Amino acid sequence: MKILELAPTPSARRVGIFLAELGLDVPREQLDLRGGDNLTPEFKSKSVNGRIPVLALDDGTHICESVAICRYFDALHPSDQSLFGNSPLEQAQVEMWNRVLELNGLMVAFQAFRNLTGFFKDRERFVEAWGAESRERIIEFLPTLEARLEGRDFVAIDRFSIADITGFVLIGFLPRLEIELTDAMPNIRRWHDAIAVRPAIAALLASQQ
């Protein structure tokens, strides 16, 4: 078993944090995305969307999409503190907030970065105006997260979940879009600072510097 990834990318970081919180150490193989490692026929035979991360199992099965990989390990290592929630209500709340943060935050941030920078212009269409619009949508979404964190230590439920991982990765990506957390967002700052010093996350981030 191994994970094909580029560790600093948001999707790979989301899986990395999830595994770190579970206390799991899975072998990694780093790919050169700028060099086109993910464009080869060999890689595309493993990843249906041509993207990282990809979990390669010993029986030849491959799983792509970061949340799918996280769900696999969550099911493989059941716990009464599941990062996807335990009760039906917890699971629904975690799923809801994780999707909100993905669809209104992380995915939009990816679009902003790719279209503003033209990072992959040698292999995909990019529209600078859409990048600018996506960046504005991120700025407009942040007050929703700020309001949710009022009087709360975690985003979805009363303990750490994958929704906090998704939100943490999103906030960590904002500097690439030249978006700063303003003084009007003390709740996000407080929450982000507390997540950053969780032992598993702090150790993982330190190892990637």
Side-chain angles (χ1 to χ4, degrees), residues 80-138:
D80 61 0
Q81 296 291 303
S82 170
L83 297 181
F84 284 98
N86 290 321
S87 70
L89 179 57
E90 280 190 351
Q91 291 172 2
Q93 291 172 318
V94 170
E95 181 73 13
M96 177 182 74
W97 277 103
N98 195 52
R99 292 294 284 166
V100 167
L101 286 160
E102 282 184 327
L103 297 177
N104 297 283
L106 204 53
M107 298 300 106
V108 182
F110 291 166
Q111 289 297 319
F113 177 76
R114 295 166 84 105
N115 284 285
L116 283 173
T117 65
F119 191 78
F120 293 123
K121 65 181 179 181
D122 60 331
R123 67 197 69 169
E124 67 180 16
R125 294 181 298 277
F126 77 100
V127 181
E128 188 173 353
W130 180 241
E133 170 64 19
S134 297
R135 182 180 181 275
E136 287 303 309
R137 292 188 182 198
I138 291 293

Side-chain angles (χ1 to χ4, degrees), residues 17 163-173 191-192 195-196 201 205:
I17 291 174
D164 295 288
I165 296 176
T166 300
F168 182 78
V169 171
L170 167 63
I171 299 305
F173 194 69
W191 161 83
H192 181 268
I195 299 298
I201 295 177
L205 298 182

Side-chain angles (χ1 to χ4, degrees), residues 70-85:
C70 292
R71 284 195 177 278
Y72 174 81
F73 284 106
D74 182 70
L76 202 62
H77 301 274
S79 166
D80 61 0
Q81 296 291 303
S82 170
L83 297 181
F84 284 98

Side-chain angles (χ1 to χ4, degrees), residues 174-203:
L174 294 185
R176 295 194 181 196
L177 303 176
E178 298 182 352
I179 297 175
E180 297 182 359
L181 295 179
T182 68
D183 292 339
M185 299 179 188
N187 295 323
I188 295 179
R189 287 184 172 182
R190 168 187 51 78
W191 161 83
H192 181 268
D193 290 348
I195 299 298
V197 296
R198 291 177 66 86
I201 295 177

Side-chain angles (χ1 to χ4, degrees), residues 11-86:
S11 294
R13 178 161 286 182
R14 182 151 62 156
V15 172
I17 291 174
F18 191 94
L19 293 180
E21 284 286 331
L22 294 186
L24 300 177
D25 184 15
V26 179
R28 310 299 215 276
E29 179 180 329
Q30 301 302 311
L31 301 183
D32 178 6
L33 300 190
R34 195 68 189 91
D37 283 355
N38 62 319
L39 302 179
T40 65
E42 179 186 6
F43 181 82
K44 288 184 176 181
S45 71
K46 301 173 182 177
S47 175
V48 68
N49 61 11
R51 298 175 182 173
I52 55 95
V54 176
L55 173 63
L57 300 179
D58 294 337
D59 66 357
T61 301
H62 293 89
I63 302 171
C64 63
E65 288 294 335
S66 57
V67 174
I69 295 171
C70 292
R71 284 195 177 278
Y72 174 81
F73 284 106
D74 182 70
L76 202 62
H77 301 274
S79 166
D80 61 0
Q81 296 291 303
S82 170
L83 297 181
F84 284 98
N86 290 321

Side-chain angles (χ1 to χ4, degrees), residues 137-149:
R137 292 188 182 198
I138 291 293
I139 294 172
E140 292 169 356
F141 169 69
L142 289 176
T144 298
L145 180 58
E146 173 67 19
R148 174 60 179 175
L149 289 169

